[in-house]
């Protein structure tokens, strides 16, 4: 029995009663060309409209109450902080080659305030490729490696116990500090943190413990914070663990020495903990600055495009702008700021808004063109950093444990006089104090505001409900086109076969003895499955290639390409050989392949939009047109009309652009210029992606690359 | 899933069986990376391996295995599989023995499916022959067995150390016994399946039909029409009428086996509260939906939301839902008892209180028996993509909710709802395709143009 859809399309005479929803489906499917053009354009347009649609941020959690109390940080605390800065920048403290002296100074200062102090020794852990990391918990055991005693870092941790708290919650303040080659900025950030810390030892309102982590950044800021967090969240119970830092003799010596020289009973050699972390702030001060006013940059993107709760950014933004008079910055994609087409687009939107307003005064959605350009640049950078899936700072380590964290980078207008230094210490300190006081008020975890959002400026955001519309419009044609191709392919074969079908309808068989009409797509599904399997193999290959010693990025990349092609050929010959003969028999085979490909792309994009929206959006911009347009070149050449010629050109261009390395080089060229493009760059980029366990890597390997291969195979299909 | 079908043409059946076994063994050797046994899709409170180990431990320390609401399975499983939870071989992964038992259970199930499929195919050929229709038909037994073995759901349930391979084996044993008219075996399978998971009890209806009138065939009316046309009533070519003999035989054996099982359970639980305790914490646990931890079903969310006051009412509503569907389906599909069994299993896996992917694996495997009849099923591509999409999306949503903390329970529940909808579409389309198939046969016999359509 033929399908309902086909029925209504192919033979009109009995006109069976069709359910309305099916009828709607049939209508959409039969007009899929028009629908897909409308939907795709609307999707791209909606993406460009996002800066216009952005809403102002607001503080959603009432308990935060930012700025309701006047700051208590006084000049006394500032001068305390200044003292530490002076001691640290004093050349005597840098005499020791491991920078232990400065850690000692910091620890002594903390002890003097009455905080509990401990040192955390860690070995920098190389980021490794964990193909299955994404689905497992962050806790799931990492393999310990053999450590050498030569390289280790020391984090200094100070904890203030809250006088009013029950010790079950904590707020973390992180200042990265490289004792070996610290700039003035790092010392200044320590000074700010210290002045806040010294205030917090005296206040009575503290309900959460305060942890001040001075992260040893000689092996990278992220590594130090991540090592401390790992130790904090996953205590090791076995005493017989693999040799770690404590076993090394010189480290032990150091700490014995410390025990003597540091006075105070609150120093401990063991790892100290406080409660669960409510929030974390990473504080940095930049050394050079070209700005004319004191600005503060917020970095929020953690791994796989995860963002901290919007309320945390709101609190910082509110306090910085309205209380401390600092300018707040979020990252922008600078090349976009000067682009003229964006400016003209902004002007068009602006004038449209004016017209709309003149028609009906309550419609107020326009924003000035300059603001639009800035919003777009911010949005683009927000998308870019989320899509990369690589954290933009040490705060990324916290997000893996569901702790909301951001990095604040203060870039002061630079001058060296003392007044200026005190001023920056005071304002920075008051900002941190205000944020900590707000977070201190929290009764629950951050949960009120958004987790899924894109920033268009520090005080404007696009929430998930808005940006998903753009994405949904973009991928909406996929299932429709898939269905229409599927129906077409089935009905055309039915027409050719099914005419002389009274008793033989049951028995229609081809050479293989298998003619299950509605299951014909299985053949194409097999091809798609094989290509996706190949994609999985290709994504696993770098793990093995990276084991080869002394391999330059370019050669690694070449090996990768060669092995990929080889594996594709092998898989094709082993698994897909019966397909070739099946393909020859069915003239509409490519339509079915395309239909199944589009379905798989739809699933892949839908999945990715949940994992990391930005990747899915960028991927959809590349893949959706390619998938929709793909059609055997032979057919287009044979047709010879203008329309088919255009499609041919589009197909060829898209076929080149959508190849992942080509897309990468194009993007890189657009951002940095094409001059210094190198084949090895792609390898380096990919390596950084998998080192950070970015889901983008899996997306490229298992969705985009197979999709590209399938589309190219459709283009070169012999029909 | 259904992909296997085409591959049979070129590869022999046994190659695929070996490949699937080897694949399972490879996965068993990397259990830590996958961590499947803690996934909510695989292990429910009823099928979880960890709970089994806990129950065994409790029993070994002379406590009731049901203490602390940890274990909710049968006491027989504790005695049979319990020792495997602690036995370890040096240098081998933990639970290797238990995993091997699961693999063996899977293979045995596949073989039973194959044998049953061959039975069904013979019956189908015979009935076509008596209707004077010639048709080249697929070897449905092989296809069904391969679908069962190569289905990712089955593999995941097997490697994830859940007890569902064993439950599935009991169900398949029951159907196999009924198809090959081995009445004691059928009764044994039915009693064990019911004992392990309550819902299999409704399989008694298809089993009675199977024993009473034999395996699937076109409606009886059709044969009568055919013979009226030819005006020779050949009694031998007609399918047999319903006979009560085997059914009474079955009832007797079922009674015997259930008494036997209950006595065994009673002995093993003598010191720990006896049979009442067992019923309370197995069947009672299933029926009252006490555990509201998330799974791929829809009940946990509903009962987490519902007011305590209405809880009993909705419990009744949800369970009666299954019972409501029994009778109409039994009337409509009485001439196809195996298909009826498939539909019942699918409905149960949709509406049961703690579903897992193992249940889906069972009905998808059984679906393979009917490749010939369901050749024209609608929405096959849609269903296939839906299953693939949901089975990928569900772990991601779970990760988003539990580990990242950016999603919430609604995200995960949304996939559960989509999954339930897919199953509904599968059942509805499957049943309508089967009825259309019957209609088509009738039209071929009476010579009407084939435009009949529901």
């Amino acid at each position: 029995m033929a399908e309902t859809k086909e029925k209504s399309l192919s033979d009109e005479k009995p006109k069976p009663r069709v359910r309305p929803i099916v009828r709607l489906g049939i209508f959409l499917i039969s007009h899929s060309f028009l629908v897909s053009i409308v939907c795709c354009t609307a999707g791209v347009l909606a993406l460009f409209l996002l800066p216009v649609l952005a809403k102002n941020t607001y503080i959603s959690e009432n308990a935060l109450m930012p700025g309701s109390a006047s700051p208590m940080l006084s000049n006394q605390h500032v001068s305390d902080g200044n003292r530490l800065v002076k001691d640290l920048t004093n050349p005597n403290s840098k005499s020791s080659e491991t920078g232990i002296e400065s850690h000692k100074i910091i620890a002594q200062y903390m002890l003097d305030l009455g905080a509990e102090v401990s040192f955390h020794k860690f070995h920098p852990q190389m980021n490794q490729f964990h193909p299955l990391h994404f689905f497992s918990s962050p806790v799931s055991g990492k393999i310990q490696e053999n450590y050498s005693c030569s390289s280790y870092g020391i984090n200094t941790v100070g904890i203030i116990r809250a006088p009013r708290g029950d010790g079950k919650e904590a707020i973390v303040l992180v200042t990265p500090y490289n004792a070996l080659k610290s700039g003035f900025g790092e010392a200044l950030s320590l000074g700010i943190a210290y002045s806040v810390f010294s205030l917090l030892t005296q206040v009575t309102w503290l309900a959460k413990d305060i942890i001040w982590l001075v992260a040893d950044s000689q092996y990278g800021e992220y590594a130090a914070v991540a090592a401390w967090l790992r130790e904090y969240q996953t205590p090791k119970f076995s005493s017989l663990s693999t040799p770690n830092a404590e076993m090394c003799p010189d480290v032990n010596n150091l700490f014995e020495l410390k025990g003597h020289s540091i006075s105070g009973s609150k120093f401990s050699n063991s790892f100290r903990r406080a409660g669960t972390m409510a929030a974390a702030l990473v504080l940095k001060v930049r050394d050079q600055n070209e700005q004319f006013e004191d600005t503060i940059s917020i970095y929020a993107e953690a791994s796989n495009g995860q963002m901290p709760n919007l309320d945390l950014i709101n609190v910082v933004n509110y306090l910085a702008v309205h209380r401390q008079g600092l300018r707040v910055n979020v990252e922008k994609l600078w090349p976009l700021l000067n682009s003229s087409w964006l400016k003209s687009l902004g002007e068009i939107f602006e004038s449209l808004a004016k017209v709309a307003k003149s028609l009906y005064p309550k419609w107020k959605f326009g924003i000035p063109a300059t603001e639009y350009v800035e919003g777009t640049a911010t949005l683009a950078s927000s998308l870019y950093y989320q899509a990369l899936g690589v954290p933009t700072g040490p705060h990324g380590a916290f997000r893996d444990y569901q702790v909301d964290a951001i990095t604040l980078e203060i870039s002061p207008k630079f001058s060296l006089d003392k007044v200026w230094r005190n001023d920056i210490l005071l304002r920075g300190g008051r900002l941190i104090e205000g944020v900590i006081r707000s977070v201190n008020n929290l009764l629950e975890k951050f949960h009120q505001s958004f987790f899924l959002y894109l920033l268009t400026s520090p005080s404007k955001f696009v929430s998930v409900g808005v940006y998903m519309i753009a994405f949904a419009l973009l991928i909406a044609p996929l299932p429709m086109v898939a269905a229409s191709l599927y129906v077409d392919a089935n009905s055309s074969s039915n027409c050719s076969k099914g005419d002389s079908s009274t008793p033989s309808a049951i028995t229609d068989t081809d050479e293989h003895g298998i003619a299950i009409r509605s299951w014909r797509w299985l053949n194409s599904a097999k091809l798609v499955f094989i290509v996706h399997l190949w994609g999985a193999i290709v994504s696993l290959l770098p793990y093995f290639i990276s084991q080869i010693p002394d391999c330059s990025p370019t050669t690694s990349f070449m090996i990768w390409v060669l092995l990929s092609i080889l594996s594709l050929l092998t898989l094709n010959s082993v698994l897909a050989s019966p397909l070739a003969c099946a393909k020859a028999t069915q003239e509409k085979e490519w339509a079915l392949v395309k239909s199944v490909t589009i379905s798989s792309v739809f699933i892949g994009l839908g999945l990715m939009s949940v994992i990391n929206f930005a990747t899915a959006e960028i991927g959809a911009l590349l893949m959706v047109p390619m998938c929709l347009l793909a059609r055997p070149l032979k057919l287009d050449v044979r047709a010879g009309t203008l329309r088919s010629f255009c499609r041919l050109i589009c197909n060829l261009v898209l076929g080149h652009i959508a190849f992942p390395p080509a897309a990468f080089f194009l993007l890189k060229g657009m951002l940095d210029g094409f001059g210094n493009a190198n084949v090895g760059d792609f390898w380096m980029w990919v390596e950084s992606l998998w080192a950070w366990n970015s889901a983008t890597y899996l997306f490229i390997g298992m969705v985009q690359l197979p999709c590209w291969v399938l589309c190219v195979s459709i283009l070169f299909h012999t029909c | 899933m259904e992909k296997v079908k085409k591959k049979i043409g070129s590869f022999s059946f046994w190659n695929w069986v070996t490949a699937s076994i080897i694949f399972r063994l490879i996965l068993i050797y990397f259990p830590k990376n996958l961590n499947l046994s803690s996934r909510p899709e695989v292990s429910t409170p009823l099928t979880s391996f960890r709970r089994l180990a806990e129950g065994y431990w409790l029993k070994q320390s002379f406590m009731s295995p049901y203490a602390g609401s940890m274990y909710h399975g049968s006491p027989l499983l504790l005695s049979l599989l319990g020792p495997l939870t602690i036995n370890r071989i040096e240098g081998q992964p933990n639970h290797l023995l238990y995993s091997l038992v699961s693999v063996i259970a899977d293979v045995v199930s596949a073989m039973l499916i194959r044998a049953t499929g061959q039975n069904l195919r013979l019956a189908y050929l015979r009935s076509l022959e008596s209707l004077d229709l010639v048709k080249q038909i697929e070897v449905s037994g092989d296809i069904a067995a391969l679908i069962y073995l190569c289905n990712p759901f089955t593999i995941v349930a097997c490697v994830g150390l859940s007890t569902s391979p064993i439950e599935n084996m009991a169900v398949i044993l029951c159907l196999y016994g009924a198809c090959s008219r081995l009445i004691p075996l059928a009764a044994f399978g039915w009693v064990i399946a019911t004992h392990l998971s309550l819902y299999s009890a409704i399989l008694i209806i298809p089993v009675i039909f199977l024993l009473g009138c034999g395996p699937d065939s076109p409606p009886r009316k059709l044969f009568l029409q055919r013979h009226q046309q030819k005006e020779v009533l050949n009694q031998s070519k007609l399918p047999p009428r319903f006979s009560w003999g085997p059914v009474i035989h079955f009832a007797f054996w079922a009674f015997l086996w259930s008494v036997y099982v209950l006595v065994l359970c009673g002995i093993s639980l003598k010191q720990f509260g006896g049979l009442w305790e067992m019923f309370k914490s197995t069947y009672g646990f299933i029926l009252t939906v006490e555990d509201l931890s998330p799974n791929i079903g829809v009940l946990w969310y509903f009962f987490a939301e519902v007011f305590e006051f209405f809880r009993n009412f909705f419990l009744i509503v949800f369970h009666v839902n299954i019972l409501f569907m029994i009778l109409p389906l039994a009337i409509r599909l009485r001439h196809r008892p195996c298909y009826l069994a498939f539909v019942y299993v699918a409905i149960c896996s949709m509406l049961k209180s703690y579903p897992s992917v193992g249940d889906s694996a069972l009905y998808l495997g059984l679906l393979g028996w009917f490749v010939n009849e369901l050749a024209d099923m609608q929405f096959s591509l849609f269903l296939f993509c839906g299953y693939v999409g949901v089975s990928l999306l569900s772990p991601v949503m779970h990760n988003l909710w539990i580990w990242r903390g950016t999603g919430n329970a609604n995200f995960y529940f949304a996939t559960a709802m989509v999954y339930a909808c897919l199953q509904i579409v599968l059942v509805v389309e499957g049943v309508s395709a089967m009825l259309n198939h019957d209609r088509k046969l009738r039209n071929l016999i009476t010579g009407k143009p084939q435009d009949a359509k529901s």
Side-chain angles (χ1 to χ4, degrees), chain B residues 56-130:
Chain B
Y56 182 69
W57 188 83
L58 284 173
K59 204 181 162 204
Q60 289 303 97
S61 27
F62 301 105
M63 280 183 268
S64 164
Y66 299 116
S69 187
M70 196 63 189
Y71 182 62
H72 298 286
S74 139
L76 297 183
L77 278 185
L78 279 186
S79 314
L80 288 174
L81 300 176
L84 301 180
T85 59
I86 49 167
N87 282 358
R88 283 184 195 156
I89 306 169
E90 273 309 307
Q92 302 291 333
N94 303 341
H95 319 310
L96 178 71
L97 287 173
Y98 182 79
S99 321
L100 288 180
V101 169
S102 308
V103 175
I104 292 168
D106 267 0
V107 174
V108 170
S109 311
M111 292 307 119
L112 290 178
I113 287 181
R114 184 168 183 243
T116 317
Q118 279 161 353
N119 260 337
L120 286 177
R121 180 167 175 264
L122 281 181
Y124 187 53
L125 276 177
R126 221 180 302 132
S127 54
L128 282 184
E129 202 176 294
S130 66

Side-chain angles (χ1 to χ4, degrees), chain A residues 21-35:
Chain A
I21 188 159
V22 177
R23 213 179 301 162
L24 183 69
I26 292 167
F27 176 79
L28 284 177
I29 284 166
S30 55
H31 296 85
S32 66
F33 179 71
L34 196 70
V35 171

Side-chain angles (χ1 to χ4, degrees), chain A residues 672-688:
Chain A
D672 316 336
F674 287 95
N676 46 7
N678 181 5
V679 185
D681 286 352
F682 185 68
W683 174 262
M684 309 257 276
W685 183 70
V686 163
E687 208 168 34
S688 79

Side-chain angles (χ1 to χ4, degrees), chain A residues 1 4 134-135 137 304 306 399 402 486 502 506-507 509 514 516 518-519 521 529 599 603 607 610-611, chain B residues 3 6 134-136 138 374-378 380-381 384-385 393 396 399-400 402-404 444 452:
Chain A
M1 198 77 36
T4 350
F134 180 74
F135 286 118
S137 57
N304 282 325
Q306 301 178 74
R399 189 62 242 179
Q402 293 196 25
Y486 176 69
T502 19
I506 272 192
T507 64
T509 53
I514 297 168
I516 301 171
S518 82
W519 297 94
W521 52 270
F529 174 72
S599 313
I603 293 174
L607 205 61
V610 179
I611 298 171
Chain B
K3 202 168 289 165
K6 289 277 169 169
V134 197
K135 184 175 178 183
Q136 190 175 1
E138 296 278 328
L374 299 184
D376 290 323
M377 200 169 106
Q378 286 183 40
S380 49
L381 177 63
F384 178 75
C385 291
L393 201 59
V396 170
N399 179 283
L400 222 60
I402 300 293
W403 293 116
R404 285 196 188 184
L444 285 173

Side-chain angles (χ1 to χ4, degrees), chain A residues 1-5 7 14 16-17 19 22 132 134-140 303-307 399-402 445 451-452 482 486 501-503 505-507 509 513-523 525-526 529 574-575 578 595-596 599-600 603 606-607 610-612, chain B residues 2-7 9-11 16 33-35 39 128 133-136 138 367 371 374-382 384-386 388-389 392-397 399-407 411 428-429 436-437 439-441 443-444 448 450-454:
Chain A
M1 198 77 36
E3 297 197 13
T4 350
K5 303 172 209 162
K7 271 260 167 218
R17 198 172 54 83
R19 275 165 287 180
V22 177
L132 297 167
F134 180 74
F135 286 118
S136 55
S137 57
V139 187
S140 67
S303 60
N304 282 325
Q306 301 178 74
M307 300 289 276
R399 189 62 242 179
D400 290 342
Y401 300 93
Q402 293 196 25
K445 274 181 67 170
F451 282 102
L452 307 169
Y486 176 69
S501 59
T502 19
I506 272 192
T507 64
T509 53
I514 297 168
I516 301 171
R517 237 175 296 128
S518 82
W519 297 94
R520 264 186 48 208
W521 52 270
L522 276 175
N523 239 338
K526 188 181 153 198
F529 174 72
V574 170
L575 287 174
S595 159
V596 180
S599 313
S600 77
I603 293 174
L607 205 61
V610 179
I611 298 171
N612 187 349
Chain B
E2 284 91 341
K3 202 168 289 165
V4 220
K5 272 181 204 171
K6 289 277 169 169
K7 294 177 182 167
S10 49
F11 291 88
W16 279 100
N33 282 338
L34 292 163
N35 214 6
R39 298 228 48 100
L128 282 184
L133 292 170
V134 197
K135 184 175 178 183
Q136 190 175 1
E138 296 278 328
L367 187 64
V371 275
L374 299 184
D376 290 323
M377 200 169 106
Q378 286 183 40
F379 304 129
S380 49
L381 177 63
F382 166 76
F384 178 75
C385 291
V388 172
L392 291 175
L393 201 59
S394 166
V396 170
M397 289 297 196
N399 179 283
L400 222 60
W401 173 28
I402 300 293
W403 293 116
R404 285 196 188 184
T406 50
F411 284 48
V428 169
E429 289 306 322
N436 279 337
H437 179 75
R439 222 164 277 152
K440 195 162 75 175
L441 286 181
N443 292 338
L444 285 173
K448 272 191 220 157
Q450 49 159 319
D451 55 1
K453 176 80 196 166
S454 61

